Amino acid sequence: MTAVTLLHVCVCAIATLLLCWDAAMPARPKPNTTNSPNSPNSPNSDAADRAVKFFARVLRHTQAEYFGRPFTLLPWQEEIVAELWGRRDMFGRRLIRHAYLEVPKKNGKTELAAGLAVMALVLDDTPACQIYVAAAGLRQTENVFRAACSMVEQQPVLLQRLRVLRGYRRITRRTDPSSF
């Protein structure tokens, strides 16, 4: 069975980000007994920190004067990423499978959406995980895809793990058929 990740992005005046997994989940793993299970009311700090650090350490900006600079999240972006990736059940699976965000114009929606998609490809260890980006228009979708491609192409460590197929509008893991 495959878990499907859907990243829906409406990159116009207000952005909509939706992350969801198919209801068909793989067999339940054994509970994590090395660390005490976290309360669903507070994010798992290790998973949240890993996701937030991924942006600053691995991803680079793709736009104008920020091109090539580390993607340091703003406080509101950091909170979103920590909440999405940090909330885990006692088996280590993410609890938040759907997220709806509204972001005003000129606040980095395209870069954030592209970064979330690349991060999902790298950090989500679910086999055959698929990430989709949709927008109000083809041009907006292509902007997010181009930003994601640029983020991957700027980092040798990402190029070792991911393959950019611009002609097919896909980014795939080299080790499995996951796609963006």
Side-chain angles (χ1 to χ4, degrees):
M1 295 192 190
T2 63
V4 176
T5 303
L6 172 67
L7 180 59
H8 171 86
V9 183
C10 175
V11 191
C12 49
I14 294 177
T16 304
L17 302 178
L18 174 63
L19 298 166
C20 69
W21 275 255
D22 193 349
M25 295 294 291
R28 282 189 164 217
K30 293 183 179 180
N32 182 357
T33 55
T34 58
N35 297 328
S36 60
N38 290 313
S39 163
N41 295 327
S42 62
N44 174 318
S45 61
D46 292 339
D49 286 347
R50 183 174 179 217
V52 169
K53 287 177 183 174
F54 180 86
F55 271 82
R57 291 182 180 171
V58 178
L59 298 180
R60 298 289 178 256
H61 279 285
T62 66
Q63 302 278 322
E65 69 272 6
Y66 295 107
F67 185 87
R69 292 185 186 170
F71 194 140
T72 304
L73 293 169
L74 298 171
W76 66 270
Q77 293 171 322
E78 187 175 319
E79 186 177 336
I80 289 168
V81 171
E83 287 291 325
L84 291 176
W85 253 257
R87 295 211 182 263
R88 304 286 172 147
D89 67 9
M90 61 188 264
F91 299 104
R93 296 181 301 216
R94 282 191 283 138
L95 289 173
I96 297 178
R97 298 190 184 165
H98 303 277
Y100 177 80
L101 308 171
E102 292 187 359
V103 181
K105 287 167 57 169
K106 300 295 180 191
N107 277 297
K109 295 178 293 293
T110 300
E111 298 276 310
L112 180 61
L116 286 170
V118 172
M119 183 179 69
L121 272 173
V122 174
L123 296 185
D124 191 346
D125 57 357
T126 305
C129 175
Q130 296 180 22
I131 295 126
Y132 296 94
V133 173
L138 180 60
R139 189 179 67 157
Q140 294 166 339
T141 306
E142 288 175 346
N143 287 343
V144 175
F145 179 71
R146 276 195 299 271
C149 290
S150 181
M151 286 177 182
V152 171
E153 291 166 346
Q154 288 184 59
Q155 282 291 23
V157 69
L158 290 176
L159 281 173
Q160 290 174 355
R161 297 186 73 177
L162 304 173
R163 179 179 296 127
V164 175
L165 304 168
R166 285 185 184 263
Y168 293 101
R169 292 188 175 117
R170 292 181 61 173
I171 299 174
T172 62
R173 288 183 189 159
R174 291 187 185 271
T175 58
D176 81 27
S178 300
S179 65
F180 165 58

